């Protein structure tokens, strides 16, 4: 009787184990990411259905072939080096390669892999998870191109523009601004504005940006500054840059050289004054 109960219990455990294995296998096969196992020669010994579907092959067409056969020529070179490194170090993360689909299309993937060892600690293969990052790469390229275009527009503006954070650190500055001072934007980014623009060790006592940071209102004023070619008059406007909650996180300095404009205004005033005197 005890033996029968023990056998039934064993059968019950077997059924539960089989059910657990089926659930695991189903999760493995239908996972969002691609999974495969290769031996020490780089031959695919197992892969999930997701990997087969994304690459456009059946599992039977993938298993038994070298993983390198499904990579672009350039990625094969990188893949071989990465495989050697993987077996030496035990794991690898964030490896980016390109795989060729059955229809000839190319996808970008990010790979995390770990070595499989036998009971004696000898490597017998690797398990890898691959994530399709093709859309991510394309989006990054679009953003990169967009940023390039925005930067080109930003730098094409002849007036000076400068973005400053709450620590009074220059985050962005265009060539119009640095052109006034005859230096590169790289000489300013990351520096405190009072040091880079005013040559001070401490914050300016009459700093208008403080008002914009704490009141949230724009400010405009005029200043005169001696440059290499003489004195210039500038009109400076400070505008708030708000976050999603409405708080001011940064301010934009917009600086316009009004030297010529002021000179014309003074000449016009002198001309009108002379006309008035002649009319007396």
């Amino acid at each position: 009787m005890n033996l029968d109960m023990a056998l039934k219990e064993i059968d019950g455990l077997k059924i539960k184990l089989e059910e657990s294995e089926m659930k695991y296998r189903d999760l493995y096969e239908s996972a969002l990411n691609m999974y495969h196992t290769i031996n020490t020669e780089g031959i695919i010994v197992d892969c999930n259905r997701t990997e087969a579907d994304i690459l456009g092959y059946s599992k039977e067409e993938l298993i038994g072939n070298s993983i390198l056969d499904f990579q672009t020529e350039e990625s094969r070179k990188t893949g071989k080096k990465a495989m050697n490194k993987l077996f030496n170090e035990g794991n690898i993360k964030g490896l980016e390669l390109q795989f060729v689909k059955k229809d000839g299309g190319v996808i970008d993937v990010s790979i995390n892999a770990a070595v499989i060892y036998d009971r004696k600690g000898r490597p017998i293969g690797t398990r890898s998870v691959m994530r399709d990052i093709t859309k991510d790469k394309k989006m990054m390229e679009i953003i990169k191109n967009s940023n390039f275009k925005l930067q080109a527009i930003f730098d094409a503006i002849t007036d000076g523009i400068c973005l400053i954070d709450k620590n009074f650190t220059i985050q962005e500055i265009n060539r119009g601004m640095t052109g006034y001072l005859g230096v590169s934007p790289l000489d300013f980014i990351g520096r405190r504005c009072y040091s880079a623009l005013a040559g001070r060790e401490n914050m300016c006592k009459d700093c208008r940006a403080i008002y914009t940071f704490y009141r949230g209102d724009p400010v405009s004023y005029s200043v005169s500054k001696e440059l290499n070619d003489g004195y210039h008059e500038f009109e400076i406007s400070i505008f708030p840059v708000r976050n999603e909650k409405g708080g001011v996180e940064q301010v934009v300095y917009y600086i316009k050289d009004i030297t010529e404009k002021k000179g014309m205004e003074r000449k016009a005033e002198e001309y009108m004054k002379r006309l008035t005197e002649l009319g007396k």
Side-chain angles (χ1 to χ4, degrees):
M1 186 67 177
N2 289 336
L3 180 59
D4 289 339
M5 290 180 65
L7 290 173
K8 286 181 180 180
E9 187 174 345
I10 291 172
D11 289 339
L13 289 173
K14 285 182 178 179
I15 292 171
K16 288 182 179 179
L17 181 60
E18 289 173 358
E19 289 175 348
S20 178
E21 287 178 349
M22 287 177 64
K23 287 180 181 178
Y24 168 77
R25 192 70 193 178
D26 185 59
L27 288 171
Y28 171 78
E29 292 290 354
S30 58
L32 292 175
N33 291 321
M34 297 171 274
Y35 289 89
H36 64 248
T37 303
I38 63 174
N39 62 20
T40 54
E41 301 299 319
I43 303 300
I44 302 171
V45 296
D46 190 24
C47 70
N48 69 344
R49 190 167 57 246
T50 303
E51 183 161 332
D53 290 344
I54 290 176
L55 294 177
Y57 293 93
S58 66
K59 291 182 62 173
E60 291 72 23
E61 289 175 304
L62 293 173
I63 294 172
N65 291 297
S66 172
I67 191 69
L68 299 175
D69 291 344
F70 302 97
Q71 297 172 0
T72 62
E73 185 176 350
E74 189 64 31
S75 285
R76 285 192 200 110
K77 299 175 185 177
T78 306
K80 287 178 182 178
K81 292 178 182 178
M83 199 176 295
N84 292 331
K85 182 180 179 182
L86 174 58
F87 280 111
N88 287 329
E89 298 183 3
N91 64 76
I92 197 166
K93 293 182 179 180
L95 173 66
E96 292 189 7
L97 296 174
Q98 289 188 317
F99 276 68
V100 182
K101 298 165 64 175
K102 190 173 183 178
D103 63 7
V106 175
I107 63 169
D108 294 283
V109 301
S110 176
I111 305 172
N112 291 344
V115 176
I116 308 167
Y117 300 93
D118 63 15
R119 292 181 179 179
K120 294 183 178 181
R122 295 173 299 193
I124 57 174
T126 69
R127 287 195 183 96
S128 301
V129 54
M130 300 199 306
R131 185 169 62 89
D132 186 349
I133 59 170
T134 308
K135 290 182 180 179
D136 295 344
K137 296 275 281 189
K138 287 181 179 178
M139 184 58 67
M140 288 301 295
E141 189 64 27
I142 291 171
I143 292 172
K144 181 180 177 181
N145 291 334
S146 297
N147 287 341
F148 179 79
K149 290 177 182 177
L150 288 173
Q151 187 66 45
I153 294 170
F154 187 58
D155 284 332
I157 298 171
T158 55
D159 295 331
I161 302 175
C162 183
L163 184 67
I164 296 171
D165 66 16
K166 279 190 172 182
N167 294 319
F168 300 95
T169 301
I170 298 173
Q171 299 296 319
E172 294 286 347
I173 190 167
N174 75 336
R175 294 188 181 279
M177 174 77 88
T178 56
Y180 292 145
L181 305 173
V183 293
S184 166
L186 297 177
D187 294 328
F188 285 87
I189 293 175
R191 293 177 60 190
R192 297 286 195 268
C193 59
Y194 50 80
S195 171
L197 302 176
R200 295 172 176 264
E201 293 184 1
N202 299 306
M203 193 168 62
C204 305
K205 292 181 180 179
D206 58 346
C207 178
R208 275 37 171 232
I210 294 176
Y211 178 86
T212 302
F213 271 122
Y214 290 99
R215 294 291 297 273
D217 297 326
V219 177
S220 293
Y221 60 100
S222 299
V223 297
S224 296
K225 186 176 179 63
E226 185 177 11
L227 301 180
N228 293 332
D229 58 348
Y231 273 94
H232 284 248
E233 294 181 78
F234 294 97
E235 183 178 76
I236 301 176
S237 298
I238 305 175
F239 302 98
V241 178
R242 301 180 184 276
N243 57 27
E244 294 177 353
K245 295 181 180 179
V248 180
E249 286 192 342
Q250 299 172 318
V251 297
V252 174
Y253 271 78
Y254 185 88
I255 302 178
K256 186 177 183 66
D257 189 338
I258 57 172
T259 307
E260 186 176 348
K261 176 185 175 184
K262 286 292 185 180
M264 293 294 290
E265 287 177 355
R266 281 191 285 270
K267 286 181 180 179
E269 287 176 2
E270 290 176 6
Y271 180 71
M272 291 301 296
K273 184 178 179 181
R274 288 179 183 178
L275 286 178
T276 302
E277 290 176 350
L278 288 172
K280 289 181 179 179

